[in-house]
Amino acid sequence: MSPAPLRFLNRLARRVRATVAPIPEISAGLWLQTVQRHAFLGTLPLPDQSKLRALSALFLQHKEFTGAHGLQVTDAMAVSIAAQACLPLLHWGAPGKALAWYDDFVGIVVHPAEALARRKAVDAAGVVHHYNEVLLGEAMEHGPVMLSWPAVDSAGQPDHDGRMGATSVVIHEFMHKIDMKNGPADGCPPLPAGFMGTASRRAAHAAWHAAWQPAYEQFREQVIVAERFGGAWPWLDAYGATAPAEFFAVACEAYFVNSPRFAQEFPTLAPVLERFFRPAATG
Ligand SMILES: [Zn+2]
Protein backbone atom coordinates (compact mmCIF):
# COMPACT_ATOMS: atom_id res chain seq x y z
CA MET A 1 0.00 0.00 0.00
CA SER A 2 1.35 3.41 -0.86
CA PRO A 3 -0.12 6.08 1.45
CA ALA A 4 -0.34 9.68 0.33
CA PRO A 5 2.52 11.73 1.73
CA LEU A 6 1.87 12.83 5.30
CA ARG A 7 2.63 16.41 4.37
CA PHE A 8 -0.31 16.41 1.98
CA LEU A 9 -2.50 14.74 4.59
CA ASN A 10 -1.38 17.35 7.11
CA ARG A 11 -2.47 20.16 4.81
CA LEU A 12 -5.72 18.41 4.07
CA ALA A 13 -6.39 17.79 7.74
CA ARG A 14 -5.71 21.40 8.64
CA ARG A 15 -8.23 22.51 6.03
CA VAL A 16 -10.99 20.31 7.39
CA ARG A 17 -10.12 20.44 11.09
CA ALA A 18 -12.78 23.04 11.77
CA THR A 19 -15.48 20.66 10.58
CA VAL A 20 -14.80 16.96 11.12
CA ALA A 21 -11.06 16.94 11.88
CA PRO A 22 -10.27 13.36 10.84
CA ILE A 23 -6.82 12.20 11.90
CA PRO A 24 -4.86 10.78 8.96
CA GLU A 25 -3.89 7.24 9.88
CA ILE A 26 -0.33 6.02 9.88
CA SER A 27 -0.25 3.05 7.49
CA ALA A 28 0.25 -0.41 9.03
CA GLY A 29 3.46 -0.96 7.07
CA LEU A 30 5.02 2.30 8.15
CA TRP A 31 4.02 1.71 11.76
CA LEU A 32 5.42 -1.83 11.80
CA GLN A 33 8.69 -0.59 10.35
CA THR A 34 8.96 1.99 13.16
CA VAL A 35 8.23 -0.34 16.09
CA GLN A 36 10.51 -3.03 14.67
CA ARG A 37 13.38 -0.58 14.37
CA HIS A 38 13.27 0.45 18.04
CA ALA A 39 12.99 -2.35 20.61
CA PHE A 40 11.59 -0.04 23.29
CA LEU A 41 8.58 0.62 21.03
CA GLY A 42 8.22 -2.95 19.75
CA THR A 43 8.04 -4.43 23.26
CA LEU A 44 5.17 -2.19 24.37
CA PRO A 45 1.91 -4.05 25.08
CA LEU A 46 -0.30 -4.08 21.97
CA PRO A 47 -2.98 -1.74 23.40
CA ASP A 48 -0.23 0.78 24.17
CA GLN A 49 1.14 0.41 20.64
CA SER A 50 -2.21 1.25 19.11
CA LYS A 51 -2.62 4.19 21.48
CA LEU A 52 0.84 5.38 20.50
CA ARG A 53 -0.01 5.05 16.81
CA ALA A 54 -3.10 7.25 17.22
CA LEU A 55 -1.20 9.78 19.33
CA SER A 56 1.61 9.88 16.76
CA ALA A 57 -0.88 10.51 13.95
CA LEU A 58 -2.33 13.46 15.85
CA PHE A 59 1.19 14.72 16.58
CA LEU A 60 2.01 14.60 12.84
CA GLN A 61 -1.11 16.58 12.11
CA HIS A 62 0.10 19.44 14.31
CA LYS A 63 3.83 19.54 13.60
CA GLU A 64 5.82 20.67 10.57
CA PHE A 65 9.04 18.96 9.57
CA THR A 66 11.90 20.68 7.76
CA GLY A 67 15.00 18.95 6.43
CA ALA A 68 18.22 20.92 6.81
CA HIS A 69 20.98 20.93 4.16
CA GLY A 70 18.70 19.46 1.53
CA LEU A 71 17.58 16.47 3.62
CA GLN A 72 14.25 15.08 2.45
CA VAL A 73 12.22 14.18 5.55
CA THR A 74 10.39 11.01 4.52
CA ASP A 75 7.16 9.73 6.07
CA ALA A 76 9.17 6.96 7.78
CA MET A 77 11.45 9.55 9.41
CA ALA A 78 8.52 11.66 10.56
CA VAL A 79 6.73 8.62 12.03
CA SER A 80 9.89 7.50 13.87
CA ILE A 81 10.23 10.95 15.43
CA ALA A 82 6.52 11.18 16.25
CA ALA A 83 6.42 7.75 17.92
CA GLN A 84 9.44 8.45 20.11
CA ALA A 85 8.20 11.95 21.00
CA CYS A 86 4.75 10.64 21.93
CA LEU A 87 5.89 7.66 24.02
CA PRO A 88 6.14 9.73 27.23
CA LEU A 89 2.57 11.01 26.65
CA LEU A 90 0.91 7.57 26.50
CA HIS A 91 -0.69 7.71 29.94
CA TRP A 92 -1.63 11.37 30.10
CA GLY A 93 -5.25 10.93 29.10
CA ALA A 94 -6.99 11.81 25.83
CA PRO A 95 -4.59 12.43 22.91
CA GLY A 96 -5.53 16.12 22.58
CA LYS A 97 -4.91 16.72 26.28
CA ALA A 98 -1.65 14.75 26.33
CA LEU A 99 -0.29 16.61 23.29
CA ALA A 100 -0.85 19.95 25.05
CA TRP A 101 2.62 19.36 26.56
CA TYR A 102 4.04 20.09 23.09
CA ASP A 103 1.71 22.90 22.04
CA ASP A 104 4.21 25.77 22.33
CA PHE A 105 5.92 24.98 19.03
CA VAL A 106 5.26 23.56 15.58
CA GLY A 107 8.62 23.16 13.84
CA ILE A 108 10.90 20.13 13.90
CA VAL A 109 14.16 20.55 11.99
CA VAL A 110 15.96 17.36 10.97
CA HIS A 111 19.67 17.42 10.12
CA PRO A 112 21.29 14.79 7.89
CA ALA A 113 24.20 14.43 10.36
CA GLU A 114 25.40 15.92 13.62
CA ALA A 115 24.92 19.68 13.55
CA LEU A 116 27.58 22.20 14.44
CA ALA A 117 26.43 25.16 16.50
CA ARG A 118 28.49 28.32 16.97
CA ARG A 119 28.76 29.03 20.70
CA LYS A 120 30.19 31.87 22.74
CA ALA A 121 31.39 31.61 26.32
CA VAL A 122 33.01 34.16 28.62
CA ASP A 123 35.58 32.75 31.04
CA ALA A 124 36.44 33.97 34.57
CA ALA A 125 39.06 36.35 33.16
CA GLY A 126 36.40 37.95 30.93
CA VAL A 127 37.83 36.47 27.74
CA VAL A 128 35.20 35.60 25.12
CA HIS A 129 35.67 32.20 23.50
CA HIS A 130 33.98 31.18 20.29
CA TYR A 131 33.70 27.48 19.58
CA ASN A 132 31.71 24.91 17.65
CA GLU A 133 29.61 22.43 19.55
CA VAL A 134 28.51 19.12 18.02
CA LEU A 135 24.80 18.68 18.56
CA LEU A 136 22.64 15.58 18.25
CA GLY A 137 19.59 17.63 19.09
CA GLU A 138 18.40 20.84 20.62
CA ALA A 139 15.14 22.15 22.05
CA MET A 140 14.43 25.83 22.42
CA GLU A 141 11.93 27.31 24.85
CA HIS A 142 8.79 28.12 22.79
CA GLY A 143 10.86 27.33 19.69
CA PRO A 144 11.54 24.43 17.34
CA VAL A 145 13.17 21.11 18.12
CA MET A 146 16.30 20.20 16.17
CA LEU A 147 17.31 16.56 15.68
CA SER A 148 20.14 14.77 13.91
CA TRP A 149 18.64 11.95 11.84
CA PRO A 150 21.41 9.33 12.45
CA ALA A 151 20.94 9.84 16.22
CA VAL A 152 17.15 9.50 15.89
CA ASP A 153 17.49 6.35 13.83
CA SER A 154 19.93 4.58 16.17
CA ALA A 155 17.72 5.01 19.26
CA GLY A 156 17.44 1.95 21.49
CA GLN A 157 20.59 0.13 20.37
CA PRO A 158 21.62 -2.38 23.04
CA ASP A 159 23.87 -1.60 26.01
CA HIS A 160 27.57 -2.42 25.73
CA ASP A 161 30.48 -2.61 28.21
CA GLY A 162 28.08 -2.11 31.10
CA ARG A 163 27.14 1.32 29.76
CA MET A 164 23.89 2.41 28.28
CA GLY A 165 23.64 2.06 24.49
CA ALA A 166 22.16 4.71 22.23
CA THR A 167 19.05 5.91 24.00
CA SER A 168 16.69 8.35 22.31
CA VAL A 169 17.68 11.85 21.32
CA VAL A 170 14.01 12.46 20.49
CA ILE A 171 12.86 11.61 24.02
CA HIS A 172 15.76 13.69 25.36
CA GLU A 173 14.78 16.85 23.48
CA PHE A 174 11.07 16.43 24.14
CA MET A 175 11.82 16.00 27.86
CA HIS A 176 13.45 19.43 27.73
CA LYS A 177 10.19 20.68 26.19
CA ILE A 178 8.22 19.19 29.09
CA ASP A 179 10.74 20.61 31.58
CA MET A 180 10.44 24.07 29.94
CA LYS A 181 6.65 24.15 30.32
CA ASN A 182 7.18 26.08 33.56
CA GLY A 183 10.16 28.23 32.54
CA PRO A 184 13.79 27.61 31.60
CA ALA A 185 14.95 23.98 31.74
CA ASP A 186 15.99 23.17 35.32
CA GLY A 187 15.19 19.47 35.66
CA CYS A 188 11.79 20.06 37.25
CA PRO A 189 8.69 20.00 35.02
CA PRO A 190 5.35 21.42 36.16
CA LEU A 191 3.83 19.09 38.75
CA PRO A 192 0.19 18.76 39.72
CA ALA A 193 -0.92 19.45 43.27
CA GLY A 194 -1.25 16.09 44.98
CA PHE A 195 1.77 14.68 43.15
CA MET A 196 3.35 11.90 45.26
CA GLY A 197 0.67 12.40 47.91
CA THR A 198 1.58 16.06 48.54
CA ALA A 199 -0.94 18.70 49.59
CA SER A 200 0.18 21.60 47.39
CA ARG A 201 2.18 22.41 44.27
CA ARG A 202 4.95 23.74 46.46
CA ALA A 203 5.10 20.52 48.44
CA ALA A 204 5.06 18.57 45.17
CA HIS A 205 8.14 20.46 43.98
CA ALA A 206 9.85 19.93 47.34
CA ALA A 207 9.20 16.16 47.04
CA TRP A 208 10.57 16.20 43.49
CA HIS A 209 13.79 17.96 44.52
CA ALA A 210 14.20 15.74 47.58
CA ALA A 211 14.44 12.76 45.19
CA TRP A 212 16.41 14.34 42.31
CA GLN A 213 19.00 16.47 44.03
CA PRO A 214 20.83 13.71 45.94
CA ALA A 215 20.63 11.39 42.92
CA TYR A 216 22.15 14.10 40.72
CA GLU A 217 24.94 14.86 43.22
CA GLN A 218 25.79 11.18 43.53
CA PHE A 219 25.80 10.73 39.75
CA ARG A 220 28.04 13.79 39.25
CA GLU A 221 30.46 12.43 41.78
CA GLN A 222 30.58 9.07 40.01
CA VAL A 223 31.29 10.79 36.66
CA ILE A 224 34.01 13.00 38.21
CA VAL A 225 35.69 9.95 39.78
CA ALA A 226 35.55 8.14 36.42
CA GLU A 227 36.95 11.15 34.54
CA ARG A 228 39.70 12.13 36.93
CA PHE A 229 40.62 8.99 38.80
CA GLY A 230 39.80 6.18 36.40
CA GLY A 231 36.76 4.95 38.35
CA ALA A 232 34.04 2.88 36.68
CA TRP A 233 31.84 4.84 34.30
CA PRO A 234 28.17 4.84 35.26
CA TRP A 235 25.62 3.03 33.13
CA LEU A 236 23.66 6.23 32.46
CA ASP A 237 24.98 8.73 29.88
CA ALA A 238 27.64 10.86 31.64
CA TYR A 239 26.27 13.92 29.83
CA GLY A 240 23.62 13.92 32.56
CA ALA A 241 26.26 15.20 34.99
CA THR A 242 26.50 18.57 33.18
CA ALA A 243 23.31 20.10 34.66
CA PRO A 244 20.15 19.05 36.51
CA ALA A 245 18.15 19.64 33.30
CA GLU A 246 20.41 17.22 31.39
CA PHE A 247 20.24 14.69 34.22
CA PHE A 248 16.44 14.79 34.01
CA ALA A 249 16.52 14.39 30.21
CA VAL A 250 18.97 11.44 30.14
CA ALA A 251 17.20 9.78 33.09
CA CYS A 252 13.90 9.95 31.20
CA GLU A 253 15.54 8.52 28.05
CA ALA A 254 16.82 5.60 30.12
CA TYR A 255 13.47 5.17 31.88
CA PHE A 256 11.66 4.78 28.55
CA VAL A 257 14.31 2.78 26.71
CA ASN A 258 15.31 0.35 29.47
CA SER A 259 12.93 0.73 32.40
CA PRO A 260 14.02 -2.38 34.43
CA ARG A 261 17.68 -1.38 34.40
CA PHE A 262 16.78 2.23 35.20
CA ALA A 263 14.82 1.06 38.26
CA GLN A 264 17.88 -0.95 39.39
CA GLU A 265 20.26 1.94 38.91
CA PHE A 266 18.00 4.66 40.33
CA PRO A 267 15.59 3.05 42.81
CA THR A 268 14.61 6.44 44.27
CA LEU A 269 13.89 8.07 40.90
CA ALA A 270 12.00 5.26 39.16
CA PRO A 271 8.85 5.62 41.34
CA VAL A 272 8.91 9.41 40.88
CA LEU A 273 8.98 9.06 37.07
CA GLU A 274 6.34 6.32 37.28
CA ARG A 275 4.00 8.72 39.09
CA PHE A 276 4.82 11.55 36.71
CA PHE A 277 4.34 9.64 33.47
CA ARG A 278 1.36 7.57 34.65
CA PRO A 279 -0.74 10.11 36.55
CA ALA A 280 -4.02 8.32 35.85
CA ALA A 281 -2.80 4.94 37.17
CA THR A 282 -1.37 6.33 40.39
CA GLY A 283 -3.82 9.14 41.15
ZN1 LIG B 1 19.90 18.13 26.67
Side-chain angles (χ1 to χ4, degrees):
M1 188 168 83
S2 165
L6 287 169
R7 198 174 300 233
F8 166 73
L9 290 174
N10 283 349
R11 270 203 304 273
L12 185 70
R14 260 197 296 279
R15 220 176 300 144
V16 294
R17 193 180 303 158
T19 50
V20 271
I23 303 167
E25 268 223 27
I26 295 169
S27 78
L30 209 49
W31 184 251
L32 198 64
Q33 187 186 326
T34 304
V35 296
Q36 281 176 343
R37 175 82 187 142
H38 307 292
F40 60 100
L41 299 176
T43 51
L44 287 172
L46 284 180
D48 281 358
Q49 283 193 28
S50 60
K51 248 166 101 178
L52 186 62
R53 185 171 163 188
L55 204 53
S56 303
L58 190 62
F59 176 94
L60 290 169
Q61 194 182 4
H62 290 275
K63 300 292 176 239
E64 277 170 17
F65 289 83
T66 310
H69 308 293
L71 178 75
Q72 183 72 35
V73 181
T74 63
D75 290 353
M77 291 161 107
V79 170
S80 171
I81 292 166
Q84 294 182 60
C86 290
L87 177 63
L89 308 184
L90 259 188
H91 305 286
W92 259 317
K97 188 178 153 222
L99 278 170
W101 281 101
Y102 300 153
D103 66 3
D104 68 318
F105 74 104
V106 171
I108 297 171
V109 182
V110 188
H111 283 252
E114 290 167 342
L116 280 182
R118 287 289 288 156
R119 298 283 195 231
K120 189 173 93 173
V122 184
D123 68 17
V127 180
V128 179
H129 300 272
H130 291 272
Y131 61 100
N132 288 322
E133 191 182 3
V134 176
L135 295 177
L136 301 181
E138 192 167 49
M140 268 169 273
E141 200 179 349
H142 309 302
V145 168
M146 188 281 282
L147 299 162
S148 137
W149 172 249
V152 171
D153 196 35
S154 66
Q157 298 300 312
D159 294 6
H160 53 89
D161 301 335
R163 295 174 71 178
M164 182 127 211
T167 44
S168 168
V169 69
V170 178
I171 293 177
H172 184 107
E173 300 309 332
F174 281 80
M175 287 305 105
H176 284 322
K177 276 292 183 192
I178 285 176
D179 185 353
M180 289 187 286
K181 266 299 204 193
N182 59 349
D186 60 358
C188 182
L191 302 168
F195 180 73
M196 308 275 301
T198 51
S200 65
R201 248 170 241 278
R202 210 187 151 126
H205 280 88
W208 181 274
H209 286 293
W212 285 85
Q213 205 161 336
Y216 174 63
E217 294 300 337
Q218 203 185 343
F219 182 68
R220 261 195 87 211
E221 189 138 329
Q222 205 185 341
V223 170
I224 289 170
V225 170
E227 259 171 5
R228 298 189 192 161
F229 309 108
W233 283 96
W235 168 72
L236 191 71
D237 185 353
Y239 185 63
T242 56
E246 299 305 339
F247 184 57
F248 170 65
V250 299
C252 291
E253 283 183 73
Y255 169 79
F256 284 107
V257 171
N258 189 345
S259 174
R261 180 74 192 260
F262 180 77
Q264 266 175 33
E265 296 278 336
F266 298 96
T268 57
L269 297 183
V272 179
L273 288 183
E274 197 71 15
R275 292 278 184 101
F276 184 66
F277 288 112
R278 290 173 176 263
T282 52

